[in-house]
Each structure stands twice: as structure tokens, then as C-alpha cells.
Short mmCIF file of all heavy atoms in Angstrom, two decimals:
data_model
loop_
_atom_site.label_atom_id
_atom_site.label_comp_id
_atom_site.label_asym_id
_atom_site.label_seq_id
_atom_site.Cartn_x
_atom_site.Cartn_y
_atom_site.Cartn_z
N ASN A 17 0.77 -1.14 -0.09
CA ASN A 17 -0.05 0.07 0.03
C ASN A 17 0.91 1.27 0.01
O ASN A 17 0.62 2.17 0.69
CB ASN A 17 -0.86 0.05 1.22
CG ASN A 17 -2.06 0.83 0.99
OD1 ASN A 17 -2.51 1.23 -0.14
ND2 ASN A 17 -2.70 1.46 1.97
N SER A 18 1.91 1.18 -0.74
CA SER A 18 2.96 2.33 -0.84
C SER A 18 3.07 2.76 -2.28
O SER A 18 3.28 1.95 -3.21
CB SER A 18 4.29 1.83 -0.32
OG SER A 18 5.26 2.91 -0.81
N GLN A 19 2.56 4.13 -2.50
CA GLN A 19 2.64 4.44 -3.80
C GLN A 19 3.73 5.78 -4.14
O GLN A 19 3.56 6.54 -4.94
CB GLN A 19 1.32 5.02 -4.27
CG GLN A 19 0.26 3.87 -4.24
CD GLN A 19 -1.16 4.55 -4.72
OE1 GLN A 19 -1.29 5.40 -5.25
NE2 GLN A 19 -2.26 3.76 -4.20
N GLN A 20 4.79 5.49 -3.19
CA GLN A 20 5.90 6.53 -3.41
C GLN A 20 6.74 6.13 -4.60
O GLN A 20 7.11 5.09 -4.62
CB GLN A 20 6.76 6.44 -2.12
CG GLN A 20 6.14 7.06 -0.82
CD GLN A 20 6.91 7.04 0.25
OE1 GLN A 20 7.64 6.14 0.56
NE2 GLN A 20 6.89 8.09 1.11
N LEU A 21 6.87 7.21 -5.40
CA LEU A 21 7.57 6.87 -6.66
C LEU A 21 8.93 7.45 -6.55
O LEU A 21 9.08 8.61 -6.97
CB LEU A 21 6.81 7.47 -7.79
CG LEU A 21 5.39 6.84 -8.03
CD1 LEU A 21 4.58 7.67 -9.07
CD2 LEU A 21 5.39 5.38 -8.34
N LYS A 22 9.98 6.71 -6.11
CA LYS A 22 11.23 7.26 -5.94
C LYS A 22 12.32 6.64 -6.88
O LYS A 22 12.25 5.44 -7.31
CB LYS A 22 11.82 6.82 -4.41
CG LYS A 22 11.01 7.56 -3.33
CD LYS A 22 11.55 7.22 -1.98
CE LYS A 22 10.82 8.03 -0.91
NZ LYS A 22 11.24 7.71 0.51
N SER A 23 13.27 7.37 -7.26
CA SER A 23 14.39 6.99 -8.14
C SER A 23 15.27 6.12 -7.31
O SER A 23 15.92 6.71 -6.44
CB SER A 23 14.99 8.01 -8.84
OG SER A 23 16.06 7.53 -9.81
N THR A 24 15.53 4.78 -7.60
CA THR A 24 16.38 3.94 -6.86
C THR A 24 17.25 3.12 -7.89
O THR A 24 16.89 3.08 -9.08
CB THR A 24 15.58 2.95 -6.01
OG1 THR A 24 14.72 2.08 -6.76
CG2 THR A 24 14.59 3.83 -5.07
N LYS A 25 18.19 2.38 -7.42
CA LYS A 25 18.87 1.50 -8.21
C LYS A 25 18.00 0.42 -9.02
O LYS A 25 18.17 0.22 -10.16
CB LYS A 25 20.00 0.75 -7.47
CG LYS A 25 21.19 1.65 -7.00
CD LYS A 25 22.24 0.80 -6.32
CE LYS A 25 23.47 1.70 -5.98
NZ LYS A 25 24.50 0.88 -5.39
N LYS A 26 16.97 0.11 -8.37
CA LYS A 26 16.01 -0.86 -8.91
C LYS A 26 15.23 -0.26 -10.12
O LYS A 26 15.10 -0.97 -11.27
CB LYS A 26 14.99 -1.48 -7.97
CG LYS A 26 14.14 -2.48 -8.52
CD LYS A 26 13.27 -3.07 -7.57
CE LYS A 26 14.00 -4.04 -6.57
NZ LYS A 26 13.10 -4.74 -5.69
N THR A 27 14.76 0.98 -9.96
CA THR A 27 14.00 1.58 -10.93
C THR A 27 14.98 2.01 -12.08
O THR A 27 14.62 2.13 -13.26
CB THR A 27 13.21 2.84 -10.42
OG1 THR A 27 14.20 3.81 -9.96
CG2 THR A 27 12.34 2.53 -9.28
N GLN A 28 16.21 2.37 -11.79
CA GLN A 28 17.21 2.93 -12.79
C GLN A 28 17.68 1.82 -13.76
O GLN A 28 18.10 2.18 -14.77
CB GLN A 28 18.34 3.62 -11.94
CG GLN A 28 17.91 4.95 -11.36
CD GLN A 28 18.94 5.54 -10.43
OE1 GLN A 28 20.03 4.96 -10.35
NE2 GLN A 28 18.65 6.61 -9.75
N GLU A 29 17.70 0.56 -13.26
CA GLU A 29 18.42 -0.53 -13.99
C GLU A 29 17.83 -0.50 -15.55
O GLU A 29 18.59 -0.70 -16.43
CB GLU A 29 18.25 -1.86 -13.31
CG GLU A 29 18.92 -2.94 -14.05
CD GLU A 29 20.47 -2.83 -14.19
OE1 GLU A 29 21.04 -2.30 -13.10
OE2 GLU A 29 21.00 -3.21 -15.17
N PHE A 30 16.57 -0.49 -15.59
CA PHE A 30 15.97 -0.59 -17.06
C PHE A 30 15.10 0.72 -17.45
O PHE A 30 14.51 0.61 -18.35
CB PHE A 30 15.12 -1.85 -17.15
CG PHE A 30 15.92 -3.05 -16.97
CD1 PHE A 30 15.76 -3.87 -15.74
CD2 PHE A 30 16.69 -3.49 -17.89
CE1 PHE A 30 16.45 -4.99 -15.64
CE2 PHE A 30 17.46 -4.76 -17.83
CZ PHE A 30 17.30 -5.47 -16.63
N GLU A 31 15.19 1.68 -16.73
CA GLU A 31 14.37 2.94 -16.94
C GLU A 31 14.57 3.41 -18.44
O GLU A 31 13.58 3.99 -18.94
CB GLU A 31 14.60 4.04 -15.98
CG GLU A 31 15.96 4.64 -15.95
CD GLU A 31 16.30 5.53 -14.89
OE1 GLU A 31 15.47 5.63 -13.90
OE2 GLU A 31 17.28 6.31 -14.93
N TYR A 32 15.80 3.44 -18.89
CA TYR A 32 15.99 4.02 -20.26
C TYR A 32 15.06 3.32 -21.32
O TYR A 32 14.84 3.86 -22.42
CB TYR A 32 17.40 3.74 -20.57
CG TYR A 32 17.90 2.33 -20.59
CD1 TYR A 32 17.78 1.62 -21.71
CD2 TYR A 32 18.48 1.90 -19.48
CE1 TYR A 32 18.19 0.28 -21.66
CE2 TYR A 32 18.90 0.53 -19.40
CZ TYR A 32 18.68 -0.34 -20.45
OH TYR A 32 19.11 -1.55 -20.50
N LEU A 33 14.48 2.15 -21.11
CA LEU A 33 13.79 1.36 -22.12
C LEU A 33 12.46 2.20 -22.27
O LEU A 33 11.81 2.12 -23.34
CB LEU A 33 13.48 0.02 -21.62
CG LEU A 33 14.68 -1.03 -21.67
CD1 LEU A 33 14.33 -2.34 -20.98
CD2 LEU A 33 15.28 -1.13 -23.07
N VAL A 34 12.00 2.93 -21.35
CA VAL A 34 10.76 3.71 -21.39
C VAL A 34 10.89 4.76 -22.57
O VAL A 34 9.95 4.92 -23.45
CB VAL A 34 10.42 4.48 -20.09
CG1 VAL A 34 9.17 5.46 -20.43
CG2 VAL A 34 10.19 3.44 -19.06
N ASN A 35 12.06 5.34 -22.73
CA ASN A 35 12.36 6.28 -23.77
C ASN A 35 12.54 5.72 -25.12
O ASN A 35 11.84 6.28 -26.02
CB ASN A 35 13.80 7.06 -23.40
CG ASN A 35 13.48 8.23 -22.60
OD1 ASN A 35 12.43 8.43 -21.88
ND2 ASN A 35 14.47 9.14 -22.38
N TRP A 36 12.94 4.43 -25.17
CA TRP A 36 13.00 3.68 -26.42
C TRP A 36 11.55 3.33 -26.86
O TRP A 36 11.22 3.51 -28.01
CB TRP A 36 13.83 2.39 -26.33
CG TRP A 36 15.28 2.71 -26.28
CD1 TRP A 36 16.10 2.81 -25.15
CD2 TRP A 36 16.17 2.78 -27.26
NE1 TRP A 36 17.40 3.07 -25.52
CE2 TRP A 36 17.49 2.92 -26.84
CE3 TRP A 36 16.00 2.77 -28.78
CZ2 TRP A 36 18.59 3.07 -27.76
CZ3 TRP A 36 17.09 2.87 -29.69
CH2 TRP A 36 18.46 3.07 -29.19
N VAL A 37 10.77 2.94 -25.92
CA VAL A 37 9.37 2.56 -26.27
C VAL A 37 8.43 3.82 -26.56
O VAL A 37 7.74 3.79 -27.54
CB VAL A 37 8.77 1.72 -25.10
CG1 VAL A 37 7.31 1.38 -25.28
CG2 VAL A 37 9.49 0.30 -25.01
N GLU A 38 8.60 4.73 -25.73
CA GLU A 38 7.76 5.94 -25.97
C GLU A 38 8.65 7.28 -25.77
O GLU A 38 8.77 7.81 -24.71
CB GLU A 38 6.74 5.98 -24.79
CG GLU A 38 5.76 4.74 -24.85
CD GLU A 38 4.53 4.97 -23.84
OE1 GLU A 38 3.86 5.96 -24.04
OE2 GLU A 38 4.51 4.12 -22.90
N PRO A 39 9.27 7.68 -26.91
CA PRO A 39 10.21 8.67 -26.99
C PRO A 39 9.68 10.10 -26.45
O PRO A 39 10.34 10.85 -26.19
CB PRO A 39 10.68 8.78 -28.38
CG PRO A 39 10.31 7.47 -29.00
CD PRO A 39 9.17 6.97 -28.18
N GLY A 40 8.33 10.24 -26.58
CA GLY A 40 7.83 11.49 -26.07
C GLY A 40 7.81 11.73 -24.57
O GLY A 40 7.49 12.84 -24.11
N LEU A 41 8.09 10.60 -23.77
CA LEU A 41 8.00 10.67 -22.39
C LEU A 41 9.28 11.18 -21.80
O LEU A 41 10.31 10.87 -22.37
CB LEU A 41 7.51 9.41 -21.76
CG LEU A 41 6.25 8.81 -22.17
CD1 LEU A 41 5.98 7.48 -21.43
CD2 LEU A 41 5.10 9.70 -21.64
N THR A 42 9.18 11.79 -20.59
CA THR A 42 10.44 12.09 -19.81
C THR A 42 10.44 11.14 -18.64
O THR A 42 9.50 10.99 -18.01
CB THR A 42 10.39 13.51 -19.30
OG1 THR A 42 10.33 14.34 -20.41
CG2 THR A 42 11.54 13.80 -18.33
N ILE A 43 11.64 10.44 -18.55
CA ILE A 43 11.73 9.58 -17.27
C ILE A 43 12.29 10.35 -16.08
O ILE A 43 13.13 11.11 -16.13
CB ILE A 43 12.74 8.38 -17.57
CG1 ILE A 43 14.14 8.72 -18.07
CG2 ILE A 43 12.01 7.39 -18.49
CD1 ILE A 43 15.01 7.63 -18.19
N HIS A 44 11.60 9.99 -14.91
CA HIS A 44 12.18 10.59 -13.63
C HIS A 44 13.26 9.69 -13.17
O HIS A 44 13.10 8.63 -12.98
CB HIS A 44 11.04 10.78 -12.59
CG HIS A 44 11.46 10.98 -11.24
ND1 HIS A 44 12.13 12.22 -10.88
CD2 HIS A 44 11.51 10.22 -10.10
CE1 HIS A 44 12.50 12.15 -9.73
NE2 HIS A 44 12.14 11.00 -9.23
N THR A 45 14.34 10.47 -12.92
CA THR A 45 15.60 9.66 -12.43
C THR A 45 16.54 10.66 -11.85
O THR A 45 16.46 11.92 -12.22
CB THR A 45 16.20 8.87 -13.53
OG1 THR A 45 17.30 8.06 -13.05
CG2 THR A 45 16.72 9.92 -14.70
N THR A 46 17.22 10.17 -10.83
CA THR A 46 18.37 10.93 -10.24
C THR A 46 19.71 10.62 -10.87
O THR A 46 20.76 11.10 -10.61
CB THR A 46 18.49 10.69 -8.77
OG1 THR A 46 18.67 9.27 -8.48
CG2 THR A 46 17.16 11.14 -8.07
N LYS A 47 19.62 9.72 -11.88
CA LYS A 47 20.78 9.33 -12.74
C LYS A 47 21.01 10.24 -13.89
O LYS A 47 20.15 10.85 -14.32
CB LYS A 47 20.66 7.94 -13.22
CG LYS A 47 21.73 7.25 -13.88
CD LYS A 47 21.31 5.87 -14.60
CE LYS A 47 22.27 5.35 -15.48
NZ LYS A 47 23.54 5.23 -14.92
N ASP A 48 22.31 10.41 -14.21
CA ASP A 48 22.80 11.11 -15.43
C ASP A 48 23.08 10.11 -16.57
O ASP A 48 23.58 9.05 -16.24
CB ASP A 48 23.92 12.08 -15.05
CG ASP A 48 24.11 13.16 -16.13
OD1 ASP A 48 23.22 13.35 -16.93
OD2 ASP A 48 25.28 13.71 -16.14
N TYR A 49 22.87 10.62 -17.81
CA TYR A 49 23.15 9.82 -18.89
C TYR A 49 24.16 10.50 -19.81
O TYR A 49 24.00 11.69 -20.29
CB TYR A 49 21.81 9.45 -19.71
CG TYR A 49 20.96 8.56 -19.04
CD1 TYR A 49 20.16 8.85 -17.93
CD2 TYR A 49 20.91 7.02 -19.39
CE1 TYR A 49 19.20 7.87 -17.29
CE2 TYR A 49 20.21 6.26 -18.77
CZ TYR A 49 19.40 6.65 -17.58
OH TYR A 49 18.62 5.64 -17.00
N ALA A 50 25.21 9.75 -20.29
CA ALA A 50 26.35 10.27 -20.98
C ALA A 50 25.90 10.83 -22.36
O ALA A 50 24.98 10.12 -23.01
CB ALA A 50 27.35 9.18 -21.09
N LYS A 51 26.55 11.74 -22.80
CA LYS A 51 26.15 12.37 -24.16
C LYS A 51 26.38 11.29 -25.30
O LYS A 51 25.62 11.41 -26.20
CB LYS A 51 27.10 13.61 -24.31
CG LYS A 51 26.75 14.83 -23.48
CD LYS A 51 25.46 15.24 -23.45
CE LYS A 51 25.23 16.50 -22.61
NZ LYS A 51 23.70 17.01 -22.64
N GLU A 52 27.44 10.44 -25.13
CA GLU A 52 27.59 9.54 -26.09
C GLU A 52 26.55 8.53 -26.26
O GLU A 52 26.00 8.15 -27.44
CB GLU A 52 28.91 8.66 -25.85
CG GLU A 52 29.25 7.82 -27.02
CD GLU A 52 30.57 7.04 -26.66
OE1 GLU A 52 30.98 7.00 -25.40
OE2 GLU A 52 31.25 6.47 -27.61
N TYR A 53 25.92 8.15 -25.16
CA TYR A 53 24.74 7.30 -25.22
C TYR A 53 23.51 8.03 -25.84
O TYR A 53 22.76 7.43 -26.49
CB TYR A 53 24.43 6.72 -23.81
CG TYR A 53 23.11 5.99 -23.66
CD1 TYR A 53 23.04 4.67 -24.27
CD2 TYR A 53 21.95 6.54 -23.04
CE1 TYR A 53 21.87 4.01 -24.27
CE2 TYR A 53 20.77 5.84 -23.19
CZ TYR A 53 20.63 4.55 -23.75
OH TYR A 53 19.58 3.85 -23.74
N GLN A 54 23.37 9.26 -25.42
CA GLN A 54 22.15 10.08 -25.86
C GLN A 54 22.30 10.22 -27.49
O GLN A 54 21.29 10.27 -28.08
CB GLN A 54 22.10 11.31 -25.19
CG GLN A 54 21.83 11.39 -23.67
CD GLN A 54 21.59 12.62 -23.07
OE1 GLN A 54 20.94 13.40 -23.54
NE2 GLN A 54 22.36 12.99 -21.98
N ARG A 55 23.44 10.47 -27.85
CA ARG A 55 23.60 10.37 -29.35
C ARG A 55 23.26 9.20 -30.04
O ARG A 55 22.73 9.13 -31.19
CB ARG A 55 25.08 10.85 -29.76
CG ARG A 55 25.36 12.40 -29.54
CD ARG A 55 26.66 12.70 -30.03
NE ARG A 55 27.87 12.19 -29.34
CZ ARG A 55 28.54 12.76 -28.39
NH1 ARG A 55 28.07 13.73 -27.86
NH2 ARG A 55 29.58 12.02 -27.91
N TRP A 56 23.59 8.04 -29.46
CA TRP A 56 23.23 6.70 -30.00
C TRP A 56 21.70 6.51 -30.07
O TRP A 56 21.21 6.12 -31.10
CB TRP A 56 23.80 5.70 -29.20
CG TRP A 56 23.39 4.33 -29.61
CD1 TRP A 56 22.66 3.43 -28.78
CD2 TRP A 56 23.87 3.61 -30.81
NE1 TRP A 56 22.45 2.18 -29.41
CE2 TRP A 56 23.29 2.34 -30.63
CE3 TRP A 56 24.62 3.85 -31.78
CZ2 TRP A 56 23.41 1.29 -31.69
CZ3 TRP A 56 24.80 2.91 -32.76
CH2 TRP A 56 24.08 1.70 -32.72
N TYR A 57 21.12 7.01 -28.99
CA TYR A 57 19.59 6.84 -28.96
C TYR A 57 18.92 7.82 -29.84
O TYR A 57 18.01 7.37 -30.59
CB TYR A 57 19.23 7.41 -27.46
CG TYR A 57 17.71 7.67 -27.30
CD1 TYR A 57 16.93 6.56 -26.95
CD2 TYR A 57 17.27 8.86 -27.40
CE1 TYR A 57 15.54 6.80 -26.81
CE2 TYR A 57 15.99 9.22 -27.19
CZ TYR A 57 15.04 8.09 -26.85
OH TYR A 57 13.72 8.40 -26.76
N PHE A 58 19.40 8.93 -30.24
CA PHE A 58 18.96 9.85 -31.10
C PHE A 58 18.94 9.34 -32.61
O PHE A 58 18.10 9.53 -33.40
CB PHE A 58 19.67 11.24 -31.11
CG PHE A 58 19.18 12.22 -32.01
CD1 PHE A 58 18.03 12.89 -31.69
CD2 PHE A 58 19.66 12.46 -33.35
CE1 PHE A 58 17.55 14.08 -32.60
CE2 PHE A 58 19.14 13.39 -34.20
CZ PHE A 58 18.10 14.14 -33.77
N LYS A 59 20.07 8.53 -32.90
CA LYS A 59 20.13 7.86 -34.12
C LYS A 59 18.83 7.05 -34.65
O LYS A 59 18.57 6.97 -35.83
CB LYS A 59 21.38 6.87 -34.08
CG LYS A 59 21.68 6.13 -35.39
CD LYS A 59 22.85 5.23 -35.19
CE LYS A 59 23.03 4.33 -36.41
NZ LYS A 59 23.57 4.96 -37.53
N PHE A 60 18.28 6.42 -33.57
CA PHE A 60 17.13 5.61 -33.87
C PHE A 60 15.70 6.12 -33.63
O PHE A 60 14.73 5.89 -34.27
CB PHE A 60 17.27 4.32 -33.16
CG PHE A 60 18.43 3.45 -33.49
CD1 PHE A 60 19.64 3.50 -32.82
CD2 PHE A 60 18.38 2.60 -34.58
CE1 PHE A 60 20.75 2.76 -33.04
CE2 PHE A 60 19.59 1.87 -34.92
CZ PHE A 60 20.67 2.02 -34.19
#
């Protein structure tokens, strides 16, 4: 009965897949993503 939505190691492990599936969404995370990875994502 807990609906707290916190960024944790568990949520961060696969969170980037949300962007691949729905590029229009923004993911909530306390993690940073390298520019090199972001450029790779933009390619597709």
C-alpha cells in the first residue's frame, strides 16, 4: 500500500527502455546519462 515513486537503483536499471518505447515521455531519475549514449539513442 505504498505509492511512493522514488528513483532507486532498482528503478534505474531498465528505466531507459521507457524512452525507447515511448520517446515522447520524460523519465524521472536521479541518474545522469552520458552524451555519447544520448547521441546513439537519437540515431534511432
Side-chain angles (χ1 to χ4, degrees):
N17 200 26
S18 171
Q19 298 180 20
Q20 291 183 320
L21 302 174
K22 294 183 178 180
S23 180
T24 65
K25 286 186 177 181
K26 182 177 287 187
T27 65
Q28 290 169 6
E29 182 63 35
F30 296 108
E31 66 185 9
Y32 57 86
L33 292 173
V34 175
N35 275 13
W36 285 93
V37 172
E38 299 186 66
L41 297 179
T42 297
I43 53 172
H44 165 62
T45 182
T46 56
K47 178 181 172 58
D48 195 16
Y49 285 82
K51 295 298 182 183
E52 187 179 19
Y53 174 72
Q54 293 189 50
R55 285 192 290 270
W56 173 253
Y57 168 84
F58 182 82
K59 175 184 175 74
F60 296 95

